[in-house]
């Protein structure tokens, strides 16, 4: 079950835990990753999700592994979707025999 806290977008983690503390710019990271500047800018502004391609590149660059970035995105997606599904609570789990 998902907690009461609002979901954290991977872009917030990128911005607050990597870009700001390491004094990196989205342009510099994008250049190092070999991706368009706008991809990292939009991610850091929480306007776009982390894709598998971006996760692989960020994981390599920051030494976190791609799973870190994909798990952040998956958790964000699940929490954001669950918040839009009030009928989810009415679904009774199946009971094993």
């Amino acid at each position: 079950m998902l907690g009461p806290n609002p979901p954290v977008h991977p872009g917030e983690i990128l911005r607050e835990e990597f870009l700001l503390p390491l004094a990196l710019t989205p342009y510099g990271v994008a250049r190092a990753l070999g991706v368009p500047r706008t991809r990292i800018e939009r991610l850091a502004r929480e306007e776009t999700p982390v894709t598998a391609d971006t996760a692989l590149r960020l994981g390599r660059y920051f030494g976190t592994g791609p799973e870190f970035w994909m798990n952040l995105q998956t958790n964000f997606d699940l929490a954001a979707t669950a918040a839009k599904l009030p009928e989810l609570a009415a679904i009774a789990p199946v009971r094993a025999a």
Side-chain angles (χ1 to χ4, degrees), residues 9-77:
H9 192 280
E12 180 180 343
I13 301 299
L14 174 63
R15 187 180 64 250
E16 300 297 328
E17 302 294 330
F18 293 92
L19 297 181
L20 293 175
L22 299 173
L24 297 171
T25 65
Y27 173 77
V29 172
R31 190 168 150 206
L33 301 184
V35 299
R37 167 188 52 82
T38 54
R39 183 187 303 189
I40 303 303
E41 288 174 342
R42 292 178 65 217
L43 178 58
R45 287 193 310 254
E46 304 175 35
E47 296 173 355
T48 189
V50 171
T51 63
D53 179 275
T54 303
L56 286 163
R57 293 168 190 266
L58 289 171
R60 174 79 175 184
Y61 185 67
F62 290 117
T64 60
E67 297 85 2
F68 173 79
W69 298 100
M70 291 305 296
N71 287 337
L72 286 171
Q73 187 62 55
T74 298
N75 289 335
F76 177 80
D77 290 344

